Amino acid sequence: MAERLKVHVDPDKCQGHARCKALAPELFELDEYGNAHAAGDGTVPPGLEDKAWLAKSNCPEIAIDVIEE
Amino acid sequence: MSDVSQPAAHPPVTDWVNDFDHTDPQWTDDPFPIWEELRAASPVVHTERFLGCYMPTTYEAVREIANDTEHFSSRRIIVRDVRPEIARNAAPPITSDPPVHKPAKQLLLPPFTPDAMKKLEPRMRAICNELIDGFIADGKVDAAARYSKYIPVQAIAHMLGIPESDSDLFINWIHMILELGIKDESKLLQAVQEMSDYFRAHIEERRSKPTDDLISYLMNAKDKEGQPLEESHVLGSLRLLLIAGIDTTWSAIGSSLWHLARTPADRERLIAEPSLIPTAVEELLRAYSPVTMAREVVKETTISGCPVKTGNMVLLSFPAANRDPKMFPDADKVVIDRRENRHAAFGLGIHRCVGSNLARMEMQVALEEWLKRIPDFVLDPAGTVTWSQGTVRGPRQLPILFGRAM
Ligand code: SF4
């Protein structure tokens, strides 16, 4: 629980389902085509860890990585 | 103008594993046990019907095919008894393969982002409430014919800038293309022709009076070389938006109401916890996914160890993938608070549904507004629920009783 988490979106896999943005709006941003990238440098602020995992497990393209640092 | 005729019958299926037929009445009414039987037999099954057709039965096999644009082409996307000539620009980008797919898709994505859909939401709420106003005093309604059907029709008409009052015309074309056209090519060609003429007239009108809608958007769009799109491309994309925008969400809203009419515990929970509706919508999408796409095998390969031969079609069943117990625990149950839900209702890979954000918004709003005004409802025991046939699955007749009539 103590580690810091970072989210990352693989741009080659992402197809813009926008599930990540719906489930964790603080952690993801969408471009003009609706494809996602991590907000900022992807660092997950404390308290939002659950949302990061939730986004990962709901991405239909398996495009999201949650990295424990 | 409404054509309620049914597609012609095929000989009934006696051997599902080797001779399946997704237009058989048994499949249409209740496909779930059939998919289980097929999945138990093989990750990919085959039928001689439809001039030869495979069906992947597992999530993994569906995913492999959806991501393999080398061996599987989208030039034909509906499994039919016939293989009509391949029309250039039939319905880009859904009928396009790489490399022409990507620019065609990128054109359509910006008008359908979640932010764009938020702007449309107030209009959707108004549409739902106007529809409910029309029958709430009766205590009963065919929720498919008078509610779920008109929500997406009016939404896409609004976005395209075509009259909502032409709705019945659109619905008839879609019935001809997606259902009757499976077995009768002339119906398919007739509907495509009529749609093209209809859109051509709207394009002509906008040449002198430009508007702020998707027709004008496509007329003004430029291709990679900075040239305007060919007319066939504009017409193809307009046909796609109309066809794909209606039947699919109509079916998804209808199946959701069908489920809630039969499952009071889920209904009560959503009324008590409206914030659960978006999660429940994902689960209803998983469990009752409306859309099955198709591919054509253009190069021999194997899928999950099963060889597939060129010239055959593939029934790319996202609905069956979404019922795969290897992927979803309790896949056969509707768990409205399911947290992990990587469902494939909107497809996977480059052909992910352009309208998925629109469909999700429409479903959430349609359920929210319905539950606010009609919290208690049941299926009308005196009526019959009927299901569509073919590419899109959803209730076409959904008789419901509510309030005092219950
Ligand atoms: S859920 Fe996955 S595919 Fe969809 S936008 Fe997010 S990262 Fe991309």
Side-chain angles (χ1 to χ4, degrees):
Chain A
M1 267 316 277
E3 307 99 87
R4 281 167 68 80
L5 300 182
K6 250 187 164 177
V7 289
H8 177 259
V9 177
D10 181 336
D12 293 332
K13 288 189 185 158
C14 174
Q15 296 291 346
H17 293 257
R19 299 294 301 132
C20 52
K21 181 72 182 171
L23 293 165
E26 303 89 343
L27 302 179
F28 298 91
E29 282 166 5
L30 302 180
D31 68 14
E32 59 170 317
Y33 301 115
N35 290 332
H37 52 265
D41 73 349
T43 302
V44 177
L48 296 182
E49 293 85 355
D50 192 38
K51 286 194 177 185
W53 292 115
L54 196 60
K56 178 186 158 88
S57 60
N58 279 278
C59 170
E61 308 291 346
I62 321 188
I64 299 174
D65 254 337
V66 179
I67 303 144
E68 303 181 50
E69 295 196 324
Chain B
M1 188 60 225
S2 99
D3 180 344
V4 289
S5 52
Q6 286 300 310
H10 279 172
V13 173
T14 50
D15 172 4
W16 282 103
V17 172
N18 299 296
D19 184 36
F20 67 83
D21 186 329
H22 63 293
T23 66
D24 190 280
Q26 205 186 320
W27 179 303
T28 315
D29 284 353
D30 187 18
F32 308 112
I34 299 174
W35 296 341
E36 261 177 54
E37 186 186 337
L38 300 186
R39 197 180 294 116
S42 176
V44 180
V45 290
H46 186 259
T47 182
E48 294 294 335
R49 297 181 188 226
F50 308 102
L51 309 173
C53 177
Y54 296 100
M55 177 176 151
T57 60
T58 64
Y59 188 96
E60 190 47 45
V62 165
R63 169 179 205 88
E64 274 180 63
I65 294 170
N67 283 313
D68 180 350
T69 52
E70 187 193 337
H71 299 93
F72 300 93
S73 168
S74 285
R75 59 190 193 176
R76 294 194 171 95
I77 52 164
I78 297 177
V79 170
R80 307 181 191 277
D81 281 348
V82 288
R83 302 263 165 86
E85 288 281 296
I86 295 163
R88 223 167 72 76
N89 285 331
I94 204 171
T95 51
S96 318
D97 291 318
V100 297
H101 170 269
K102 190 167 180 176
K105 174 110 176 219
Q106 280 189 331
L107 270 175
L108 292 186
L109 288 171
F112 288 95
T113 59
D115 281 349
M117 295 307 106
K118 258 196 207 106
K119 296 203 188 96
L120 202 63
E121 201 184 301
R123 175 78 195 114
M124 290 315 307
R125 286 197 195 277
I127 288 172
C128 292
N129 279 293
E130 284 160 21
L131 291 168
I132 296 172
D133 289 342
F135 57 75
I136 193 156
D138 304 344
K140 59 193 273 191
V141 67
D142 180 340
R146 294 191 60 193
Y147 187 65
S148 57
K149 173 156 82 180
Y150 286 106
I151 295 165
V153 182
Q154 297 195 14
I156 200 70
H158 178 80
M159 290 182 76
L160 286 166
I162 54 183
E164 291 177 10
S165 53
D166 287 343
S167 294
D168 288 331
L169 202 58
F170 311 148
I171 288 164
N172 191 45
W173 287 331
I174 287 158
H175 181 54
M176 287 165 78
I177 292 174
L178 295 180
E179 292 198 79
L180 301 178
I182 293 179
K183 292 165 183 168
D184 182 351
E185 189 182 353
S186 68
K187 289 270 193 289
L188 161 74
L189 298 176
Q190 184 196 336
V192 169
Q193 184 65 43
E194 288 179 16
M195 284 177 94
S196 305
D197 292 344
Y198 179 90
F199 279 122
R200 246 184 235 114
H202 277 278
I203 289 174
E204 212 37 62
E205 248 173 54
R206 280 162 183 73
R207 282 200 218 283
S208 48
K209 262 194 266 139
T211 47
D212 178 19
D213 54 38
L214 283 175
I215 297 183
S216 291
Y217 174 86
L218 283 168
M219 286 169 68
N220 296 327
K222 302 273 189 292
D223 67 15
K224 274 194 316 235
E225 279 80 44
Q227 297 300 312
L229 303 181
E230 283 173 58
E231 192 193 48
S232 67
H233 186 150
V234 174
L235 286 173
S237 288
L238 289 172
R239 286 194 303 262
L240 166 65
L241 292 175
L242 191 65
I243 298 171
I246 295 179
D247 214 357
T248 48
T249 318
W250 163 18
S251 298
I253 297 170
S255 300
S256 302
L257 289 172
W258 175 78
H259 173 82
L260 293 175
R262 305 162 69 238
T263 323
D266 285 353
R267 206 172 61 228
E268 281 155 22
R269 179 137 184 233
L270 293 185
I271 292 163
E273 276 178 78
S275 63
L276 193 61
I277 289 178
T279 307
V281 161
E282 295 307 314
E283 175 65 349
L284 292 163
L285 277 166
R286 181 193 69 81
Y288 305 113
S289 311
V291 184
T292 295
M293 275 286 106
R295 298 284 188 269
E296 184 178 351
V297 187
V298 288
K299 239 193 219 181
E300 258 183 62
T301 185
T302 57
I303 290 296
S304 295
C306 308
V308 295
K309 294 215 168 10
T310 53
N312 284 255
M313 291 295 291
V314 177
L315 197 62
L316 194 58
S317 177
F318 300 112
N322 283 341
R323 292 277 183 152
D324 182 352
K326 258 216 181 112
M327 185 66 188
F328 302 97
D330 290 325
D332 56 340
K333 293 203 177 70
V334 176
V335 182
I336 55 167
D337 59 358
R338 193 184 287 271
R339 276 169 61 85
E340 294 194 7
N341 202 343
R342 224 188 269 284
H343 70 76
F346 293 106
L348 294 170
I350 62 167
H351 289 286
R352 186 270 299 174
C353 167
V354 167
S356 63
N357 297 308
L358 172 61
R360 289 186 150 110
M361 183 271 281
E362 288 180 18
M363 284 181 73
Q364 288 176 20
V365 168
L367 294 186
E368 279 167 20
E369 298 307 311
W370 175 288
L371 288 172
K372 268 187 227 160
R373 297 185 64 189
I374 309 176
D376 278 326
F377 55 101
V378 291
L379 292 180
D380 183 349
T384 323
V385 177
T386 60
W387 297 84
S388 58
Q389 176 179 102
T391 303
V392 180
R393 180 171 197 269
R396 289 297 171 265
Q397 251 175 237
L398 184 58
I400 276 181
L401 297 180
F402 53 86
R404 271 179 298 126
M406 270 167 68

